[in-house]
Amino acid sequence: MGKSKKIIVKEVGPRDGLQNEKAMIETEDKISWIDSLSKTGLSYIEVTSFVHPKWIPQLADALQVAKGIQKEEQITYAALVPNMKGLESALTTNLDELSVFMSASETHNLKNINKSINDTFPVLNEVVKEILQNGKTARGYVSTVFGCPYEGKVSIDSVISVCDTLFEQGIQEISLGDTIGVANPRQVEEVLSILLKRYDASRLALHFHDTRGMALANIVKSIDMGITIFDASLGGLGGCPYAPGASGNVATDDLVHMLHEMGYETGIQEPKLLESGMLIQSKLPSPLSSHTMHVHSSNCN
């Protein structure tokens, strides 16, 4: 497949990155971080999730964050919405895109959403319909595409069934998640060779976690297969509260550096990205895990 020189990196750190952080980050600090991300050249920032505070206390300030950021032109600002109640709050903001989520594995879906896969579809259908009627775009996350912490291997037929239903409901783009970071390049090639016969590459994104240090290798293979959209979290922040063993997302800074070194265009300014990384680093109790941030910090000391 021909390789595009333009790669879209979607920053999910303020949502997927922070949701697994036990140390509470002040609302003002989240807003400042997102505003700094808006100056880096990113075209997409996922700012929060409108989930019940009981489930993810870190994101209890979703409404304040979404209303407090300074939006920039040419950037899509997004948030996750689990149900109609979350959507009602999200629609009081001026976010551009709202995302729904579910799993390709039955057990993870039950742990994450407290519903079976089949019982989740009607809920999401109602949410997606309302998103579209309010003039927003709708994105879908599908978790455990490459492996489940409870079931192990996940059937490609289950992945296809979930994706088919979400696309039928009006989802414009699906992010395929390696939730616990078990994928390898050969598996990525096998999965995408099947999915890309069914869906256009422009409607698929990949969301890799770096649990076993394989995320960048998996992204290179995905690019070779024709994928041009990837989720990432600055500094490697993140994980899944409902996926034991899931470590951080692939680091935005490591990914952007690799892509630029390989001759791909992202539109993202690495120095600005590192500045933004240092900003959120100063609010965290532990150092960020990305290689690029480590090199930058070492050079600054």
Side-chain angles (χ1 to χ4, degrees):
M1 297 183 184
K3 291 190 285 185
S4 169
K5 298 299 287 185
K6 173 70 174 179
I7 301 295
I8 298 171
V9 177
K10 298 196 168 184
E11 176 60 47
V12 299
R15 191 277 300 177
D16 199 18
L18 291 182
Q19 72 176 9
N20 218 34
E21 284 294 315
K22 291 181 173 59
M24 298 302 290
I25 308 299
E26 296 292 332
T27 301
E28 294 76 13
D29 293 332
K30 293 176 186 175
I31 292 170
S32 295
W33 182 36
I34 294 166
D35 287 346
S36 75
L37 287 168
S38 293
K39 305 296 185 183
T40 63
L42 284 160
S43 61
Y44 187 103
I45 304 172
E46 186 179 54
V47 300
T48 191
S49 175
F50 288 84
V51 295
H52 195 288
K54 179 176 73 171
W55 301 118
I56 304 182
Q58 181 72 259
L59 304 182
D61 55 1
L63 196 59
Q64 298 95 307
V65 170
K67 288 187 174 182
I69 60 174
Q70 296 293 315
K71 290 183 65 180
E72 300 280 347
E73 291 185 8
Q74 310 305 317
I75 298 178
T76 297
Y77 293 89
L80 208 63
V81 290
N83 48 38
M84 287 299 291
K85 186 170 182 60
L87 177 61
E88 287 171 7
S89 293
L91 288 176
T92 67
T93 73
N94 64 343
L95 295 172
D96 308 297
E97 181 168 277
L98 299 171
S99 300
V100 297
F101 58 96
M102 64 180 299
S103 179
S105 109
E106 194 70 61
T107 307
H108 185 263
N109 207 72
L110 284 166
K111 296 279 187 180
N112 199 22
I113 302 178
N114 203 30
K115 288 183 174 60
S116 69
I117 288 175
N118 283 337
D119 287 344
T120 302
F121 286 139
V123 176
L124 298 192
N125 187 45
E126 184 182 15
V127 172
V128 172
K129 184 177 180 180
E130 194 70 18
I131 291 172
L132 299 178
Q133 286 181 345
N134 279 271
K136 314 285 187 182
T137 54
R139 192 181 201 227
Y141 283 98
V142 179
S143 303
T144 66
V145 169
F146 298 92
C148 171
Y150 308 103
E151 299 178 14
K153 185 176 176 60
V154 175
S155 164
I156 189 65
D157 291 335
S158 178
V159 175
I160 290 171
S161 175
V162 169
C163 289
D164 278 355
T165 303
L166 291 177
F167 279 135
E168 288 166 5
Q169 290 180 352
I171 293 292
Q172 284 97 328
E173 177 183 293
I174 288 178
S175 176
L176 303 168
D178 180 22
T179 309
I180 53 172
V182 295
N184 63 73
R186 179 172 292 178
Q187 183 190 19
V188 169
E189 182 175 10
E190 290 170 353
V191 169
L192 288 179
S193 66
I194 295 170
L195 297 183
L196 288 171
K197 290 176 183 175
R198 196 173 188 93
Y199 316 115
D200 191 273
S202 64
R203 303 194 71 188
L204 297 178
L206 270 294
H207 184 110
F208 288 111
H209 284 241
D210 205 31
T211 313
R212 293 162 179 80
M214 299 288 282
L216 290 179
N218 290 331
I219 286 174
V220 171
K221 174 55 69 174
S222 301
I223 293 172
D224 286 342
M225 298 293 290
I227 301 295
T228 59
I229 308 168
F230 298 94
D231 297 343
S233 176
L234 185 55
L237 270 173
C240 176
Y242 304 100
S247 64
N249 299 273
V250 65
T252 309
D253 41 315
D254 288 347
L255 173 56
V256 170
H257 180 74
M258 181 190 75
L259 292 172
H260 289 174
E261 289 294 304
M262 293 176 69
Y264 293 103
E265 300 169 7
T266 67
I268 299 168
Q269 302 172 54
E270 289 186 67
K272 293 286 188 182
L273 203 58
L274 289 171
E275 287 178 19
S276 186
M278 294 300 288
L279 178 60
I280 191 61
Q281 173 69 91
S282 69
K283 308 301 178 183
L284 298 170
S286 302
L288 292 166
S289 62
S290 71
H291 299 286
T292 311
M293 284 297 301
H294 177 72
V295 170
H296 183 67
S297 298
S298 298
N299 289 340
C300 289
N301 292 334

